[in-house]
Amino acid sequence: MIRVLLAEDMHMIRAALVALLRLEPDIDVVAQVTRGDEIVPTAMEVRPDVAIVDIDLPVVDGITAAAELRTRLPSCRILVLTAMGQPGQVRRALSVGIEAFLVKDAPGDRLADAIRRTAAGLRVLDADLVASAMEYGESPLTQRERTVLDEAARGATAEEIAARLHLSAGTVRNYLTGAITKTGAKNKIDAIRIAQDAGWL
């Protein structure tokens, strides 16, 4: 029996996944969590064979939690399940050693098969996602440019960002200009869109 921990914050999706997996005679969902910071403590308690982790989780994102889980419980294999499949997120997942990456709109039988293959120690990667990740490459943005662009994406003005980061408004504008240039964008809004599509934010 493959013991599975499921980390998904959307109730209907989580319930549907659990119902789907209960149809499989060799898969047992032993724990469900809704936040990223619950993954490691719960996994340490129930010792799953496979953790199915959504990327966009509250408090701690799924990839960060998965990286910690790999360190704390190396016997647990990790399958990232996401609706987005952003190239930057795929690259980040691969960089922390995640074994499997599957999009949520994959057929149900593919999920069960992916769990079995992941539990058996095989890598399960969506070929289109990996190809797209390789095409986009690493983020060209510095950490500070990402932070400033992320704040701008949340609607903060240059002055508000400057106050939060203890910078001058001019320095914030310089970081935004750098992000626009490096992403090949036309303006700040375009840079935010490009960075989000690539999974760099």
Side-chain angles (χ1 to χ4, degrees), residues 147-157 161 176 188-189 192:
T147 301
V148 168
L149 200 59
D150 191 47
E151 289 287 339
R154 297 171 198 271
T157 65
I161 297 170
L176 287 171
K188 177 179 71 175
I189 302 301
I192 291 168

Side-chain angles (χ1 to χ4, degrees), residues 31-170:
Q32 303 172 47
V33 299
T34 59
R35 298 181 350 203
D37 62 329
E38 297 172 328
I39 292 173
V40 173
T42 303
M44 298 304 292
E45 182 180 334
V46 302
R47 302 279 170 162
D49 301 305
V50 176
I52 301 174
V53 179
D54 184 23
I55 290 180
D56 284 325
L57 293 172
V59 186
V60 175
D61 72 86
I63 295 176
T64 299
E68 184 184 351
L69 181 58
R70 279 189 58 78
T71 302
R72 298 278 304 279
L73 190 64
S75 62
C76 179
R77 309 284 291 178
I78 299 163
L79 168 60
V80 169
L81 193 62
T82 182
M84 302 178 305
Q86 295 174 329
Q89 298 286 22
V90 176
R91 286 187 70 92
R92 188 169 157 234
L94 294 174
S95 74
V96 299
I98 289 173
E99 294 88 358
F101 206 105
L102 198 64
V103 291
K104 286 182 180 176
D105 64 356
D109 59 339
R110 279 194 62 194
L111 175 59
D113 181 61
I115 291 169
R116 293 184 184 103
R117 290 167 56 85
T118 302
L122 302 173
R123 295 195 83 174
V124 182
L125 302 170
D126 185 292
D128 291 337
L129 288 180
V130 173
S132 181
M134 296 305 110
E135 180 184 328
Y136 268 85
E138 294 284 353
S139 170
L141 305 173
T142 65
Q143 180 60 49
R144 185 61 90 178
E145 286 166 345
R146 276 197 302 273
T147 301
V148 168
L149 200 59
D150 191 47
E151 289 287 339
R154 297 171 198 271
T157 65
E159 290 73 19
E160 290 169 336
I161 297 170
R164 285 180 200 162
L165 302 180
H166 307 290
L167 301 169
S168 71

Side-chain angles (χ1 to χ4, degrees), residues 164-186:
R164 285 180 200 162
L165 302 180
H166 307 290
L167 301 169
S168 71
T171 300
V172 168
R173 289 189 189 93
N174 287 341
Y175 282 126
L176 287 171
T177 299
I180 291 166
T181 302
K182 289 180 180 179
T183 56
K186 300 170 190 163

